[in-house]
Amino acid sequence: MAMLLEDIVQSVEMWLKLIRKPQPYVDPDLDPVLLVPGIAGSILKAVDHQNGKEERVWVRILGADYKCRTKLWSRFDPSTGRTVSLDPCTSVRVPEERYGLYAIDVLDPDMIIGRECVYYFHDMIVEMMKWGFQEGKTLFGFGYDFRQSNRLQETMDRLAAKLESVYKASGGKKINIISHSMGGLLIKCFMGLHSDIFKKYVKNWIAIAAPFLGAPGYIASTFLNGMSFVDGWEQNFFISKWSMHQLLIECPSIYELMACPHFHWQHMPLLEIWREKEGCDGIPRIILESYRPGESIDIFNEALSGNSVDHDGENIPLPFNLEILKWAKETHRVLAHAKVPSGVKFYNIYGINLETPHSVCYGSEETPVTDIQDLPFFQPTYICVDGDGTVPAESAKADGLHAEARVGVPGEHRGILCEPHVFRILKHWLKAGDPDPFYNPINDYVILPTAFEWESHHEKGLQVTSLKEEWEIVSEDQDNLEDVASRKPFVSSISVSQGGNKQSSRSEAHATVTVHPQTEGKQHVELNAISVSVDA
């Protein structure tokens, strides 16, 4: 009752114009931003050709597996490079509401409980609107059918049209593109194929968690076992791993995420299989076979040779698709030759500090693999490297482009899109909000110089130089200690000397650094240094 009365009072006050409804902050001087998601990061709707009825088929929790099998399962057409739905009466489209943001915000808008599991750019959109960005004026989205190749002409044409429309809607301002994951490959393909258009409309491109050289362990196990889009209890209501497996086998985008076989990896990603083989003496032995990225193709081919699905009463074979592999190799060639046009700045943010699948192993010494076609029924184990849990940092850093900056941020592959450190970096690079010229994106702190003194003089044949400098470091780490005043300053010192000879002088230097802890993540730093040189 109290809430109703409060609503009534507010409505009357609004009518009488006694109060004003708070308006979102808008900064008209900001350059426009276009958000581009990665694989599985766009809402997809199935359109019935007979009656024009639409229904969301990605992402949905209730009935998700059935809709995937009936509306999203598809076959690759090598003559066009398109992946076409098995249902001939259905086509798939991406919704364009909210200037493209609807499709990449919350992937299942109907969910009430556990919505975070289907958030995509949601947190970033909310944060950017706080900085003054406005939907349709300075903030836009580009969703796409992620089943398709990253260089499909249809997608390239849509992106070109999107860039032009964003440019016009923002009053002729050049665009900041922020891509995530596979969206980075899509943007790089477009940049390689349509460099002139990219140069005309784009100001900055910021790639986040992009698998520039593939996601070796993740994709290898996806080919053989499928993958889960959501984790936790929600996956029980979502698309099964098997259904997802059958979908992805016919997706060129997945083949384009395979490990680059020509890159000089620090540790070569391998597909390993424990197998029982008969030795020269006729005695069976358990050995570990290892296959490099190029050699793994034969294993995928053999393991999936008998794979098929039943669709509408018809048994359809779905082996490892060598036609898609040919298409993907051409995509890799486009990616390898892409360059950042002059006048455009490129930035790269990648995830670190999480164990990330790199090599995949099937079977064990106790339970070896006896038939390669049984691999889809084995649980893989991984040899991991540093990364974001999906993309190795080594792959994400190797963009092959001239970059203004590359910054590693601790975070999970999709979760990195809501990391405060990433928000802070983006705000700095986009020049949104109050400018902070001292911000260091790599270390995520602000250095504020407060004092600087330099003095040099001669004294009895000695060259004496003294330096005094002070600054304040402001980090995101908030100090939880209650009694800040009781903490003692941290003092450190260093001494350096250089011996003289007939050709050079003798010199030595002494420095003292004192750090005074303060509140709210602040530290005051004092540096006192003196150097003395003696002429030979």
Side-chain angles (χ1 to χ4, degrees):
M1 181 65 72
M3 288 298 294
L4 289 175
L5 288 175
E6 184 178 344
D7 291 341
I8 292 172
V9 171
Q10 286 196 2
S11 298
V12 173
E13 289 176 343
M14 285 284 290
W15 180 61
L16 294 174
K17 298 185 179 180
L18 295 177
I19 63 173
R20 291 184 179 181
K21 185 178 180 180
Q23 296 297 317
Y25 165 63
V26 174
D27 184 348
D29 297 324
L30 290 171
D31 292 322
V33 169
L34 179 65
L35 303 177
V36 181
I39 193 165
S42 305
I43 288 177
L44 301 181
K45 290 189 175 182
V47 183
D48 191 312
H49 296 167
Q50 296 177 335
N51 54 27
K53 182 181 177 182
E54 294 185 356
E55 60 177 331
R56 192 177 70 253
V57 291
W58 185 279
V59 166
R60 56 185 291 161
I61 295 297
L62 297 178
D65 196 70
Y66 174 74
K67 292 300 180 184
C68 174
R69 289 183 277 113
T70 56
K71 303 297 183 182
L72 283 181
W73 274 0
S74 49
R75 293 299 302 268
F76 176 73
D77 183 352
S79 65
T80 62
R82 293 192 80 252
T83 285
V84 183
S85 297
L86 291 179
D87 182 358
C89 299
T90 297
S91 60
V92 171
R93 81 167 190 93
V94 181
E96 295 289 343
E97 292 90 332
R98 289 177 50 205
Y99 311 97
L101 292 169
Y102 171 80
I104 63 173
D105 187 343
V106 181
L107 299 184
D108 187 350
D110 294 338
M111 281 194 72
I112 298 176
I113 300 174
R115 289 189 88 193
E116 292 82 359
C117 76
V118 289
Y119 278 0
Y120 204 92
F121 274 115
H122 177 76
D123 292 303
M124 187 176 291
I125 292 171
V126 170
E127 188 71 20
M128 294 181 73
M129 292 180 74
K130 293 178 184 177
W131 302 343
F133 286 94
Q134 182 182 9
E135 292 187 10
K137 294 292 184 182
T138 50
L139 189 57
F140 304 82
F142 180 75
Y144 56 95
D145 184 351
F146 50 82
R147 300 175 304 166
Q148 309 293 346
S149 166
N150 287 291
R151 63 178 177 92
L152 183 70
Q153 190 58 48
E154 180 182 321
T155 306
M156 299 291 96
D157 292 342
R158 285 187 59 243
L159 181 54
K162 187 72 177 186
L163 291 174
E164 182 180 5
S165 67
V166 171
Y167 181 79
K168 291 180 178 178
S170 60
K173 292 182 179 180
K174 286 197 170 184
I175 303 160
N176 296 291
I177 296 178
I178 300 177
S179 64
H180 175 248
S181 190
M182 192 182 74
L185 300 189
L186 187 148
I187 296 299
K188 193 177 181 183
C189 277
F190 184 88
M191 188 174 69
L193 294 170
H194 304 285
S195 179
D196 53 338
I197 300 176
F198 201 84
K199 181 178 180 179
K200 180 179 180 180
Y201 294 123
V202 178
K203 180 179 182 180
N204 300 311
W205 169 28
I206 303 171
I208 302 177
F212 285 110
L213 293 178
Y218 192 73
I219 294 303
S221 61
T222 293
F223 275 128
L224 295 172
N225 309 101
M227 71 173 182
S228 297
F229 180 70
V230 298
D231 297 318
W233 63 269
E234 292 94 344
Q235 64 181 305
N236 296 317
F237 302 95
F238 198 57
I239 297 172
S240 70
K241 210 169 182 180
W242 179 83
S243 295
M244 197 70 174
H245 184 208
Q246 310 312 314
L247 170 68
L248 297 179
I249 285 175
E250 287 291 307
C251 291
S253 56
I254 292 296
Y255 290 70
E256 292 166 354
L257 292 173
M258 295 175 69
C260 177
H262 310 298
F263 179 63
H264 295 293
W265 297 90
Q266 184 177 1
H267 301 288
M268 181 63 67
L270 301 172
L271 171 61
E272 298 184 324
I273 306 173
W274 285 99
R275 301 187 70 180
E276 183 178 294
K277 289 289 186 71
E278 186 175 304
C280 298
D281 53 4
I283 300 175
R285 290 180 174 84
I286 308 299
I287 62 172
L288 181 63
E289 297 180 339
S290 297
Y291 301 90
R292 297 162 71 94
E295 300 166 340
S296 300
I297 303 303
D298 291 336
I299 299 299
F300 296 146
N301 203 25
E302 184 179 351
L304 298 174
S305 59
N307 187 59
S308 65
V309 297
D310 182 78
H311 184 269
D312 199 22
E314 179 184 1
N315 186 268
I316 300 175
L318 288 181
F320 183 78
N321 197 317
L322 297 178
E323 290 292 339
I324 300 182
L325 187 64
K326 292 179 185 178
W327 181 277
K329 286 181 178 179
E330 177 61 21
T331 302
H332 291 153
R333 189 194 67 80
V334 171
L335 291 169
H337 289 86
K339 302 296 180 186
V340 179
S342 61
V344 180
K345 292 184 177 180
F346 168 69
Y347 301 84
N348 186 347
I349 300 174
Y350 55 93
I352 56 174
N353 288 11
L354 288 180
E355 289 199 343
T356 303
H358 191 60
S359 292
V360 188
C361 182
Y362 289 88
S364 65
E365 288 187 90
E366 293 74 25
T367 55
V369 176
T370 56
D371 188 341
I372 293 297
Q373 292 193 26
D374 290 337
L375 285 182
F377 306 104
F378 275 79
Q379 185 69 26
T381 57
Y382 300 102
I383 297 173
C384 295
V385 294
D386 184 43
D388 61 19
T390 299
V391 179
E394 184 179 13
S395 172
K397 285 191 292 186
D399 46 65
L401 302 171
H402 173 72
E404 301 297 317
R406 295 184 182 89
V407 183
V409 176
E412 183 268 335
H413 185 66
R414 192 149 55 101
I416 199 171
L417 291 178
C418 56
E419 281 291 330
H421 187 177
V422 171
F423 291 159
R424 205 170 181 197
I425 293 171
L426 294 179
K427 190 175 181 181
H428 177 69
W429 286 343
L430 297 173
K431 295 180 173 58
D434 297 328
D436 190 356
F438 301 108
Y439 176 62
N440 183 326
I442 296 177
N443 296 316
D444 195 29
Y445 55 64
V446 178
I447 301 177
L448 301 175
T450 57
F452 180 84
E453 296 178 12
W454 176 282
E455 184 181 353
S456 183
H457 63 276
H458 285 279
E459 182 180 314
K460 297 180 181 180
L462 303 177
Q463 174 73 29
V464 181
T465 303
S466 62
L467 168 69
K468 180 180 180 182
E469 188 170 356
E470 297 182 16
W471 61 86
E472 193 171 71
I473 296 178
V474 185
S475 70
E476 285 292 294
D477 296 331
Q478 300 297 315
D479 213 316
N480 295 322
L481 296 179
E482 296 180 359
D483 189 8
V484 177
S486 65
R487 283 175 288 158
K488 297 180 180 180
F490 172 77
V491 182
S492 182
S493 61
I494 186 172
S495 298
V496 180
S497 61
Q498 180 181 10
N501 52 40
K502 292 182 180 180
Q503 286 77 33
S504 63
S505 62
R506 186 175 74 253
S507 60
E508 60 182 30
H510 304 276
T512 302
V513 179
T514 307
V515 180
H516 299 272
Q518 298 179 336
T519 58
E520 298 179 348
K522 298 179 181 179
Q523 297 183 83
H524 189 82
V525 182
E526 300 174 2
L527 170 65
N528 290 280
I530 186 169
S531 70
V532 179
S533 298
V534 182
D535 293 334

